[in-house]
């Protein structure tokens, strides 16, 4: 998935996530928008909702990022989209798991046992 995923912000807050995903799929499939075949669309809800769109080909993601002024039209309304490259972030659980794999401090060699 490296390089094939873009992050899309500026989503319509008044639509359910499944409808937003459908509209984004249509928009980013269109060649006039720089789009192409899509492998996955995830709409992440929250105060600053966004979507992660993974394309089948790296070249499509690169075209999408180069294209200017992505605007989603829904029901006569226009929503300017903010499209950026997606950089994977570790969740707090992943950070906790990875910290367990690393020592918290360097281990010192144990002294050799002294002869009795």
């Amino acid at each position: 998935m490296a390089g094939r995923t873009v992050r899309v912000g500026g989503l319509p807050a008044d639509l359910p996530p499944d409808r937003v995903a459908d509209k984004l799929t249509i928009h980013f499939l269109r060649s006039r928008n720089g789009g192409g075949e899509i492998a996955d669309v995830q709409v992440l809800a929250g105060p600053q909702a966004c979507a992660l769109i993974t394309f089948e080909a790296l070249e499509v993601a690169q075209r999408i990022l180069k294209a200017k002024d992505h605007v989603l039209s829904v029901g006569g309304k226009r929503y300017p989209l903010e499209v950026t490259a997606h950089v994977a972030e570790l969740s707090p659980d992943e950070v906790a798991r990875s910290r367990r794999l690393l020592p918290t401090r360097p281990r010192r060699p144990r002294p050799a046992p002294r002869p009795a």
Side-chain angles (χ1 to χ4, degrees):
M1 276 177 34
R4 297 184 301 131
T5 303
V6 298
R7 185 178 192 277
V8 181
L11 304 179
D14 54 338
L15 295 178
D18 59 335
R19 181 131 188 255
V20 172
D22 290 345
K23 294 295 183 181
L24 289 171
T25 300
I26 292 167
H27 177 84
F28 288 108
L29 275 172
R30 291 187 174 145
S31 59
R32 72 175 182 216
N33 296 326
E37 291 298 314
I38 295 173
D40 187 42
V41 176
Q42 296 177 12
V43 176
L44 309 173
Q48 294 181 350
C50 70
L52 300 178
I53 302 174
T54 303
F55 295 94
E56 292 288 340
L58 174 65
E59 299 79 26
V60 176
Q62 291 171 340
R63 278 197 315 263
I64 291 292
L65 291 169
K66 288 180 185 175
K68 301 290 181 206
D69 302 323
H70 287 282
V71 178
L72 190 66
S73 296
V74 181
K77 292 183 182 177
R78 294 172 53 86
Y79 301 90
L81 300 176
E82 303 154 10
V83 181
T84 58
H86 173 63
V87 178
E89 296 178 10
L90 293 178
S91 72
D93 290 339
E94 290 170 316
V95 171
R97 275 196 301 269
S98 67
R99 289 197 66 170
R100 279 187 232 136
L101 299 175
L102 300 173
T104 55
R105 60 178 184 205
R107 291 188 180 185
R108 295 182 183 166
R110 293 184 182 197
R114 294 183 183 208

